[in-house]
């Protein structure tokens, strides 16, 4: 089930290793515990896709929240933005 509305992203930080980290917050609005698979796109200043991260969030309690981090797979030394491309609740 599409769960993009359950997912919000925080501010991107670039670590000393050059990889971009973005906090991922998940709010399970369902009445049952659910798992999530989330796809986060990283884009450069021109809007070009520069990296994609697939994040698995283990069981989130009914009405509960979970926090995770999407970390880029490569060095992203330039300014990048992040967006939730897809989020699946199951």
């Amino acid at each position: 089930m599409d769960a993009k509305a359950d997912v919000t992203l925080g501010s991107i930080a670039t670590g000393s290793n050059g990889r971009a980290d973005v906090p991922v917050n998940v709010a399970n609005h369902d009445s049952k515990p659910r798992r999530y698979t989330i796809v986060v796109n990283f884009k450069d200043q021109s809007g070009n896709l520069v990296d994609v991260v697939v994040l698995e969030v283990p069981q989130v309690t009914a009405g509960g929240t979970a926090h995770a981090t999407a970390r880029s797979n490569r060095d992203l030394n330039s300014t990048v933005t992040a967006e939730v491309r897809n989020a699946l609740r199951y």
Side-chain angles (χ1 to χ4, degrees), residues 1-6 85-89:
M1 174 177 287
D2 181 17
K4 218 170 159 181
D6 292 358
R85 171 70 176 104
N86 291 323
L88 176 66
R89 178 180 62 224

Side-chain angles (χ1 to χ4, degrees), residues 4 6 9 14-15 22 24 26 29 33 35 41 43 45 59 67 72 78-79 82 89-90:
K4 218 170 159 181
D6 292 358
L9 301 179
T14 302
V22 62
V24 178
V26 181
H29 300 289
R35 296 173 185 259
N41 287 347
K43 294 185 176 184
Q45 293 175 342
Q59 193 161 315
H67 308 284
S72 66
S78 62
T79 301
R89 178 180 62 224
Y90 53 97

Side-chain angles (χ1 to χ4, degrees), residues 24-26 57 65-69:
V24 178
N25 302 300
V26 181
V57 178
T65 59
H67 308 284
T69 301

Side-chain angles (χ1 to χ4, degrees), residues 32-85:
K32 296 179 183 179
R34 298 293 183 182
R35 296 173 185 259
Y36 289 79
T37 299
I38 302 163
V39 179
V40 177
N41 287 347
F42 288 93
K43 294 185 176 184
D44 66 14
Q45 293 175 342
S46 299
N48 299 311
L49 185 65
V50 293
D51 205 353
V52 177
V53 174
V54 177
L55 185 63
E56 298 289 333
V57 178
Q59 193 161 315
V60 181
T61 59
T65 59
H67 308 284
T69 301
R71 177 168 292 127
S72 66
N73 296 301
R74 65 188 94 236
D75 293 352
L76 300 176
N77 293 321
S78 62
T79 301
V80 295
T81 59
E83 68 179 11
V84 177
R85 171 70 176 104

